[in-house]
Amino acid sequence: MLTGRTVRDLLAAFASAEPTPGGGSAAALASSVGASLLIMVAALPKTRANSDEDRAALAAATASLTVLRERLTEAIDADTAAYDQVVAAYKLPKAADEEKAARAAAIQTALRAATDVPLGVMRWSAQALDTATAVGAHGHAAASSDVGVATALLRAGLEGARLNVAANLGGIKDEEYACAVSGEVERLAGGAR
Amino acid sequence: MLTGRTVRDLLAAFASAEPTPGGGSAAALASSVGASLLIMVAALPKTRANSDEDRAALAAATASLTVLRERLTEAIDADTAAYDQVVAAYKLPKAADEEKAARAAAIQTALRAATDVPLGVMRWSAQALDTATAVGAHGHAAASSDVGVATALLRAGLEGARLNVAANLGGIKDEEYACAVSGEVERLAGGAR
């Protein structure tokens, strides 16, 4: 599990020539950090106006962000696991016709899983970005730079996940699925600008 | 040391209401991951055209990125240490005039250190972004999404560091220093767009 390793170990793993972990896990990590910073700002003893309205808005944001952060953190490992399956599928034997068919099917299954993980990261990053507006409006003004950093990281995570969806989607032969994903990607990426 | 903790522990620390770690360390982490991904792409057995020119360009990029990545990783801990000093300086006694003067001086010293760390992160992120162009041009085409994720993370790290420089610079009374930093920040942020 990447998330159980130390930060230095994880950085070394990203820098190694091994195919995983790669950009997909890095994008999920960026968004996890962004969501975590928003939870921190919402948890500060002081709020924008120290009003009940502030506290209610921040409590709602925290409830949503806690779920999103957990999903994004799980995606750090899930993206690497899914891409390892893609690499494994491409290495299947392809001498006989039966082997060729089994390999092609395994590649399609693996590519779909490796698309679904960054697509989830896009969705959860977009939802976390929605809460960033509320956290910025109701959170302690002194923490506004933390909200700004969180927003930059969530946008980078969303964009990084988009690049990974696009990279895997190119190999998927199910046109209905590919078209549905493309449409959703466009909506999610457009909403984050 | 934050970098010696597990990824899950670090995320929990970002999410806690404690003043550190905050956005400054998060920005340094984002850029460290970005630099690591570029080192990975440059280390792949395949290059864009498998030419000597590719390998020479990627070797030069790796030499530069290895230094930048180490500095950015050290900044994850350095930013938290510097901001802890700011918090400690503000807590110094301020009853007598002598105490007031000592506290004010300690705050200025601490704010300057807490500005220099994210300013370094801006510089190193900008330098890593410069190498991203070479890694993208000479690295294996199949890894272009990793170069894209790295670029997004380095831009987010640079922008996050800029927000932290700005937050600390506001409290600094040395106008010559503040003016020099503002000028450099503008150049660095403008170059990354």
Side-chain angles (χ1 to χ4, degrees):
Chain A
M1 297 278 282
L2 295 169
T3 50
R5 293 167 74 170
T6 68
V7 175
R8 277 212 174 258
D9 269 7
L10 179 69
L11 290 168
F14 279 129
S16 91
E18 294 300 310
T20 57
S25 291
L29 173 61
S31 288
S32 300
V33 174
S36 299
L37 286 174
L38 293 177
I39 292 172
M40 180 267 281
V41 175
L44 292 174
K46 290 185 186 170
T47 68
R48 178 67 51 144
N50 293 313
S51 64
D52 289 344
E53 189 201 343
D54 281 347
R55 287 186 209 289
L58 293 171
T62 299
S64 163
L65 286 164
T66 303
V67 176
L68 295 169
R69 178 171 89 98
E70 186 52 35
R71 287 181 181 163
L72 288 163
T73 304
E74 284 167 6
I76 299 170
D77 285 305
D79 191 272
T80 287
Y83 195 71
D84 283 341
Q85 289 301 105
V86 173
V87 173
Y90 275 106
K91 285 183 182 162
L92 287 174
K94 50 176 179 176
D97 280 353
E98 260 177 42
E99 286 176 344
K100 274 184 196 157
R103 178 175 175 271
I107 290 171
Q108 288 302 306
T109 303
L111 279 176
R112 193 150 162 168
T115 303
D116 285 338
V117 177
L119 182 61
V121 171
M122 288 191 75
R123 284 180 194 142
W124 305 321
S125 301
Q127 289 168 29
L129 279 168
D130 284 342
T131 71
T133 312
V135 173
H138 296 282
H140 190 27
S144 65
S145 68
D146 292 306
V147 177
V149 176
T151 301
L153 290 179
L154 286 164
R155 283 192 182 135
L158 196 150
E159 166 66 7
R162 186 187 69 75
L163 292 167
N164 279 273
V165 169
N168 293 320
L169 204 59
I172 289 181
K173 302 209 188 307
D174 179 341
E175 285 183 18
E176 198 178 327
Y177 171 81
C179 184
V181 171
S182 291
E184 186 175 354
V185 163
E186 205 164 308
R187 282 194 303 280
L188 289 168
R193 268 173 212 133
Chain B
M1 297 278 281
L2 295 169
T3 49
R5 293 167 75 172
T6 67
V7 175
R8 276 211 174 259
D9 268 8
L10 180 68
L11 290 168
F14 278 129
S16 90
E18 295 300 309
T20 56
S25 291
L29 173 61
S31 288
S32 300
V33 175
S36 299
L37 286 174
L38 292 177
I39 291 171
M40 181 268 281
V41 176
L44 292 175
K46 289 184 186 171
T47 68
R48 177 67 51 146
N50 293 313
S51 65
D52 289 345
E53 190 201 342
D54 281 347
R55 289 187 207 289
L58 293 172
T62 299
S64 162
L65 286 164
T66 304
V67 176
L68 295 170
R69 179 171 87 100
E70 186 52 35
R71 287 181 180 162
L72 288 163
T73 304
E74 283 167 5
I76 300 170
D77 285 306
D79 191 272
T80 286
Y83 195 71
D84 283 341
Q85 290 300 105
V86 173
V87 173
Y90 275 107
K91 285 183 183 164
L92 287 173
K94 51 177 176 174
D97 282 352
E98 261 177 39
E99 286 176 342
K100 276 184 198 161
R103 178 175 174 272
I107 290 171
Q108 288 302 307
T109 303
L111 279 176
R112 192 150 163 169
T115 304
D116 285 338
V117 177
L119 182 61
V121 172
M122 288 190 75
R123 284 179 195 143
W124 305 321
S125 301
Q127 289 168 29
L129 278 168
D130 284 342
T131 71
T133 311
V135 174
H138 296 280
H140 190 28
S144 65
S145 68
D146 293 307
V147 177
V149 175
T151 301
L153 289 179
L154 287 164
R155 283 191 181 137
L158 196 151
E159 165 67 5
R162 186 188 69 74
L163 292 167
N164 278 274
V165 169
N168 293 320
L169 203 60
I172 289 180
K173 301 208 188 307
D174 180 340
E175 285 183 19
E176 198 177 329
Y177 171 81
C179 184
V181 171
S182 292
E184 185 174 356
V185 163
E186 206 164 308
R187 281 194 302 280
L188 289 168
R193 271 177 209 128

